[in-house]
Amino acid sequence: MWYPQKKYFKNNNIIFYDLLNHGKSKKGFTKLNFFDFVEQLNNLTEYIDIKKFNLIGFSIGSLIAQ
């Protein structure tokens, strides 16, 4: 679904990631809540040491972005 954006922003520093249990991310979680997804994003940004960024999401991703 995000292919057009990936293509458009190909010359920029962009990170696309899948939420837990979605796409190519880690699967097998039987009980996830909103805070698990927020923690996933926090862990990602800390791991790659990003302090300031723009975040775009769709559906639950938009809630996480807020």
Side-chain angles (χ1 to χ4, degrees), residues 7-52:
K7 188 175 176 182
Y8 181 82
F9 289 110
K10 68 181 176 184
N11 295 320
N12 295 281
N13 292 322
I14 304 292
I15 296 170
F16 292 86
Y17 78 100
D18 291 321
L19 295 175
L20 297 169
N21 275 357
H22 292 78
K24 295 180 181 178
S25 73
K26 186 174 180 181
K27 305 270 192 303
F29 295 94
T30 57
K31 293 183 180 182
L32 287 171
N33 62 51
F34 179 75
F35 297 103
D36 294 319
F37 298 121
V38 172
E39 182 179 26
Q40 179 192 22
L41 175 61
N42 284 334
N43 290 340
L44 174 63
T45 58
E46 287 178 9
Y47 179 78
I48 57 180
D49 196 29
I50 293 178
K51 304 292 186 227
K52 185 176 179 180

